Amino acid sequence: MSDERHGGPGDDKGSLLAPGTSGSRSGLGKDESFVEQALVESEVVPGALMPKEDIGRSPWQIFWRQFRRDRWALTGVAVIIVMIVLALIAPLSVRWTGHDPNFVNLDALDSFGLPGAPAWWPCPDGANDAPVVTQGGQISVTSPGCTAVPGYWLGVDGTGRDLFVRILYGARTSLVIAFAATGISLVIGTVLGVISGFFRGKTDTFISRLTDVVLSLPILLLALGLVSACGASAEGCLGGLIQPGLLLVSLIIGLFSWPYISRIIRGQVLSLREKEFVEASRSLGASNWRIMAREVLPNVAAPLIVYTTLIIPANILFEAGLSFLGVGVPQTTPSWGAMLSESASAFEYAVWLMVFPGLALFMTTLAFNLVGDGLRDALDPRTQA
Amino acid sequence: MGRYLIRRTLFLILVLFIVSLLTFLIFVKLPAADPARRATGRSTTPEQVEAAREAFGLDKPLYVQYGRFAKGLIPLPGFFLNEDVYYSYGNFIAVKEEIYRRLPVTITLTIGAAVIWLAMGIPIGIISGVRKGSIWDRAGMVFALIGVSMPVFWLGQLLLYFFWFQLGWAPPSGLQIGASIWESIAEGKFILPWITLAFTSAAFYARMVRGNLIETMSEDYIRTARSKGLAERRVIYKHGLRGALTPVVTMLGLDIGLLLGGAFITETLFGLPGIGELAVKSINNNDFPMVMGVTVLGALFIAVANLVVDVVYAFLDPRVRYT
């Protein structure tokens, strides 16, 4: 979609020639058609000449030349790196602030139990007046409390914990689950997709039906059920084999999102297996497994990379959504989704509870989407097929 | 076509069977808490708990328990979600009744949101696709990028904060069960939820329409239309759009099927008593019959939407034929 970002006369989009292959169009899931679209979107001009500077370069060099020019994608990469660094240095923030992510400081709440604001927060005039408590014991929102608490960079949450420290630890939760879940779906999806496309016949029918079944499941409902059933008690489920926590959430997200990948890969492999280089390899006596690993797999790498980058933000939002609904990671594990669930009932008097976790989440997903778009433009998966 | 429909219907039944079995295994085989103990309350004698277990059928072997629930999933009157088995473990309301009371909210939410996302997504996609590279295209695609990256539950809170709390233009969240839908719409209770739910989809549709339009415009039949001397406007809006919008019909069907099973996050955030809110509440309360009913209903909507979409697609796109 972001062809316009390159612009300029040096735009060598569509220089590599390749007849594209796109899979069947009917019955696609949202994510899939999105990538499907990614694969067919840019215009390929068959027979166009390669730009001089691309001659003699490997596809990866050409890709890198393209990608490096995409300012938005590079911004995305920078944001992702910042987020990873923030997640890594989370323990340091405990040293700097002196607050553990689960350290409850009741002094950081005002006399009405409302959370303290960051020292630099622009509290509205008269906001520091005591909030009005109505008859029902509810805090009136007409006069929001906004007491600045020193030492809390991003303010305090509703139970008196440091929001800054929790957001850094929340980055850990978010990224670990997103990468792990994406990894799981990537492995399952690639293996099944390659096998399905390569062997065709009964194997393909079976795997395709399996994919159809998983795609027809009410995924969020089953995930909600699984996480709540396995995460409700410390023993976990399946006789203690699966413990509540990051791994459980990653497993569930991964187990439900592989069909998108496997469908994409299957479509690619179906056309690849008819290509001359596969034929050549076969006539040299290579086994099926060798052809799959050495000939087919490297050729599906490009769409795989693009799709992976686009599925990561979806998985970040999936985890945040589960945590928002109260069935994600255990409550002591900081999660952006859980923080936003708390802020939903508190933004009237503590806006910072909504602003910072939301910004962190939005920036992260936006960054991955920017990189995904940039990769798609630079790799132009059709040229690899 | 006939054989195809039969095959698809059989597949639908298989999917429903798998969903019900999975749901059953998740909630009964991996129990988070004993529903009998929960239903009887805190201070009960073991005899009372035992009586509740018996009433719920929890003392029977697992396959008998599953059989009881499976029988209630046969889509025939008298069987479907029958009240002997399908009642809430919490307040003993029949699942069927609870779903009927809440379905109007979910349907209203879904239809309103769908109208908004089509009204936003399709024009943005068309303008971006027709004037590729223009300032409109850029603006449209920035919108799309923000839309696909935006967490629904953050957008909803931002909207509530600005339009209800700061500006007072929109009513606060929350809706009574059984409140009149038309009155609620007139009060504006649905406006923010609609926008919240529609935003991400509008972005997806804009991207999809743009991509499809650009792709369609490079097809041979467009070249034919141009070379026979049709005005560019006519080429785009008569021939180009038809190809570009056909996939939108597919996507719309699937999205509506998915959302009719409950818009969990939007309903929870705005306190709308729909199917999604019911599902989240029942899962948190470990209310198994309710969860089973809602899950199978969700699966049914998805499966039926899939089927309808494929059949409609065959009519819209003459290249597709099923056997």
Side-chain angles (χ1 to χ4, degrees), chain B residues 29-72:
Chain B
K29 193 79 183 83
L30 320 166
D34 186 350
R37 201 173 293 277
R38 282 189 75 108
T40 46
R42 278 172 208 274
S43 51
T44 42
T45 59
E47 288 77 32
Q48 281 172 309
V49 175
E50 208 45 53
R53 290 183 69 81
E54 214 165 294
F56 290 164
L58 296 174
D59 53 340
K60 307 238 169 46
L62 280 178
Y63 65 91
V64 178
Q65 287 188 39
Y66 176 71
R68 289 180 66 209
F69 284 106
K71 218 162 76 185

Side-chain angles (χ1 to χ4, degrees), chain A residues 1 3-4 25-31 33-34 37 40-41 43 141 209 212-213 215-218 220-222 224-226 228-230 232 237-238 317 320-321 324-327 337 340 343-344 347-348 351 354-355 358-359 361-362 365-366 369-370 373, chain B residues 11 14-15 18-19 22-23 26-27 30 32 132-133 137-138 141 145-146 148-151 153-154 157-158 160-161 164-165 201 204 207-208 210-212 214-215 247 250-251 254-255 264-265 268-269 279-280 283-284 294-295 298-299 302 306 310 313 322:
Chain A
M1 58 140 272
D3 329 43
E4 70 277 8
R25 268 289 203 52
S26 83
L28 298 180
K30 168 172 282 180
D31 293 313
S33 81
F34 179 54
Q37 187 189 324
V40 295
E41 212 170 318
E43 293 153 293
V141 294
R209 288 298 148 268
D212 288 346
V213 169
L215 282 176
S216 329
L217 297 178
L220 192 57
L221 265 171
L222 291 177
L224 282 173
L226 265 173
S228 85
C230 296
C237 54
L238 287 182
L317 289 179
F324 175 82
L325 294 173
V327 292
L340 285 171
S343 77
F347 62 72
E348 296 147 30
V351 193
M354 169 180 82
V355 171
L359 263 183
L361 183 56
F362 176 57
T365 50
L366 188 64
N369 279 326
L370 280 172
D373 285 349
Chain B
F11 180 70
L14 174 73
V15 167
I18 292 174
V19 167
L22 274 178
T23 314
I26 290 171
F27 283 89
L30 320 166
K132 195 169 154 233
D137 183 22
R138 278 171 203 240
M141 290 305 105
L145 190 66
I146 291 174
V148 296
S149 310
M150 181 64 90
F153 37 91
W154 194 47
Q157 285 180 47
L158 290 175
L160 266 177
Y161 179 75
W164 164 61
F165 185 64
S201 297
F204 268 107
R207 281 188 151 191
M208 184 172 68
R210 178 183 183 273
N212 288 337
I214 291 173
E215 186 201 345
T250 309
M251 190 62 78
L254 296 179
D255 281 347
F264 307 92
I265 290 175
T268 306
L269 181 63
V280 173
I283 285 171
N284 283 329
V294 174
T295 311
I302 295 176
N306 262 314
D310 282 353
Y313 201 87
Y322 298 113

Side-chain angles (χ1 to χ4, degrees), chain A residues 333-380:
Chain A
T333 312
S335 153
W336 294 337
M339 290 178 208
L340 285 171
S341 158
E342 191 201 325
S343 77
S345 55
F347 62 72
E348 296 147 30
Y349 50 85
V351 193
W352 52 94
L353 291 185
M354 169 180 82
V355 171
F356 298 122
L359 263 183
L361 183 56
F362 176 57
M363 298 287 281
T364 311
T365 50
L366 188 64
F368 275 106
N369 279 326
L370 280 172
V371 175
D373 285 349
L375 284 177
R376 182 184 53 196
D377 290 347
L379 282 171
D380 196 9

Side-chain angles (χ1 to χ4, degrees), chain B residues 162-182:
Chain B
F162 286 109
F163 292 106
W164 164 61
F165 185 64
Q166 290 290 351
L167 298 170
W169 293 354
S173 57
L175 199 68
Q176 292 293 321
I177 289 194
S180 154
I181 293 291
W182 296 111

